[in-house]
Amino acid sequence: MPDPVLIVFRKDDVAQLVEDHQRQADCEGIAVLRCAANREVDEPGPYCPEGFETPKPLPRDYDVRAPELTLDMAETIWTYFDAFQSDGQVLIESNVRGLWFVTQLGRRPFIGLARLHAGVPGVRTLAPKRQGEQNEVPPCVPQRTI
């Protein structure tokens, strides 16, 4: 399983994500967040959001440096920004199990997972296989918690 990455959001980044999501989302309501490495440090560090793009059709690989978001996930980041911000920024962990707020107290509230991914330990698809059918990539299943 790939290592998680950290993405640093400012409030205007989140506002832009919410605004741009509708234009960039695919038919399942998923958009891919483009991120760039923080160029202020020489070693690998936090990524910064650069905007959304429309994802390729399924099946597609999942890159934790370019996570998939639904509109409600972007709105959740916006809603809880002030509660979890520090110095005008929130830190989001991206891994194959979804997006998580990283708080100063060490807690990791779950933001969401746009779709289930094949090959992730401990994750089962919600769609059962039909007799004789091979299901390489699970269907898009938008999920949300508050």
Side-chain angles (χ1 to χ4, degrees), residues 17-39:
L17 295 181
V18 172
E19 185 177 314
D20 289 350
H21 190 281
Q22 192 89 18
R23 227 176 24 255
Q24 300 297 334
D26 66 4
C27 64
E28 301 291 335
I30 297 172
V32 173
L33 178 65
R34 284 191 320 266
C35 296
N38 187 344
R39 289 173 179 75

Side-chain angles (χ1 to χ4, degrees), residues 69-130:
L69 279 86
T70 58
L71 180 57
D72 61 341
M73 291 167 64
E75 289 172 341
T76 297
I77 297 170
W78 174 260
T79 301
Y80 292 100
F81 186 93
D82 291 332
F84 296 124
Q85 66 89 22
S86 174
D87 297 325
Q89 299 178 335
V90 293
L91 196 57
I92 304 291
E93 178 181 320
S94 172
N95 61 43
V96 292
R97 296 181 188 271
L99 295 178
W100 312 78
F101 286 107
V102 178
T103 68
Q104 293 178 347
L105 300 175
R107 294 194 172 101
R108 294 176 50 233
F110 183 64
I111 297 168
L113 176 64
R115 69 177 166 106
L116 297 177
H117 311 291
V120 177
V123 174
R124 295 179 300 165
T125 179
L126 299 179
K129 291 182 185 178
R130 292 187 197 142

Side-chain angles (χ1 to χ4, degrees), residues 45-60:
Y47 288 79
C48 298
E50 290 192 329
F52 273 134
E53 63 185 31
T54 306
K56 296 185 282 191
L58 288 172
R60 61 180 177 262

